[in-house]
Amino acid sequence: MRHQRSIKPYARPIAPVPGTVPVTGAEPLMSLQSADRLANPRTRTSESINHGRFLYETFCLVCHGAAGRGDGPISSVAGGPFFGVRSLVNDTIARRTDGYIYAVIVSGQVMGRGLMPVYGDKVRGADRWDLVNYVRTLQAGAKSPTGRR
Ligand code: HEC
């Protein structure tokens, strides 16, 4: 029992058979350089931000917290078991490109953010950019004097 191979949530224990073709479209692996060049195709309309908020509350809040401070219920910052969660509302991340945030959502593993699970298989297409837009809203809220600090 103690020494068995345990499979982490979202891990893929069995490699796909050689020659397997993805049915939902293959994605090129991103690097920091290619991520930074991505242009956000979604205008920051309230529709986009509201949808981003729904996605954020579904997938991200547990770790990053309602205001993006890294203090979600399962984060060690709030006494939970998940270590290493970062704030999304500090100046460093605010200066990152939209493409960087997008790429971390697709795969933190590839982006050198190995502690964060992969979300590219759960959040797809324009939904990812709506999430980026909502993260920007959280950052703006954290900066404004009347905002949540
Ligand atoms: C299970 C906990 C968890 C969830 C859920 C989660 N993250 Fe993360 N996130 C992390 C951890 C841990 C890190 C730090 C990764 C590292 O440095 O290896 C991180 C890092 C990040 C970063 C990079 C921050 C930086 O300083 O470079 C961004 C952006 C981010 N997360 C966005 C999101 C978004 C958007 C979602 C929802 C799709 C999400 N995260 C869901 C745990 C989580």
Side-chain angles (χ1 to χ4, degrees):
M1 278 299 275
R2 286 185 71 138
H3 298 294
Q4 71 181 347
R5 190 171 163 226
S6 62
I7 296 158
K8 299 261 160 42
Y10 303 133
R12 188 188 294 190
I14 303 168
V17 178
T20 303
V21 179
V23 290
T24 47
E27 279 188 87
L29 287 181
M30 264 178 286
S31 65
L32 186 55
Q33 289 75 17
S34 61
D36 279 342
R37 282 198 299 270
L38 292 174
N40 184 345
R42 291 282 282 171
T43 314
R44 268 170 230 165
T45 58
S46 55
E47 184 243 332
S48 165
I49 290 165
N50 285 338
H51 187 55
R53 178 183 187 140
F54 168 77
L55 294 165
Y56 183 89
E57 288 173 352
T58 306
F59 293 108
C60 320
L61 186 150
V62 279
C63 284
H64 289 284
R69 288 196 219 93
D71 57 354
I74 73 164
S75 167
S76 62
V77 177
F82 208 95
F83 281 87
V85 180
R86 293 187 170 231
S87 168
L88 301 178
V89 295
N90 58 37
D91 288 346
T92 313
I93 180 77
R95 277 195 296 271
R96 293 284 199 178
T97 58
D98 282 4
Y100 171 85
I101 297 173
Y102 175 96
V104 173
I105 296 168
V106 176
S107 175
Q109 313 291 306
V110 171
M111 292 304 287
R113 293 279 168 237
L115 296 174
M116 180 169 140
V118 169
Y119 283 89
D121 54 344
K122 296 160 202 78
V123 186
R124 298 195 151 269
D127 283 359
R128 297 168 182 169
W129 292 110
D130 289 344
L131 259 177
V132 171
N133 288 344
Y134 185 64
V135 169
R136 293 301 189 206
T137 305
L138 290 177
Q139 290 168 353
K143 261 199 148 60
S144 89
T146 52
R148 300 154 289 190
R149 252 252 171 256

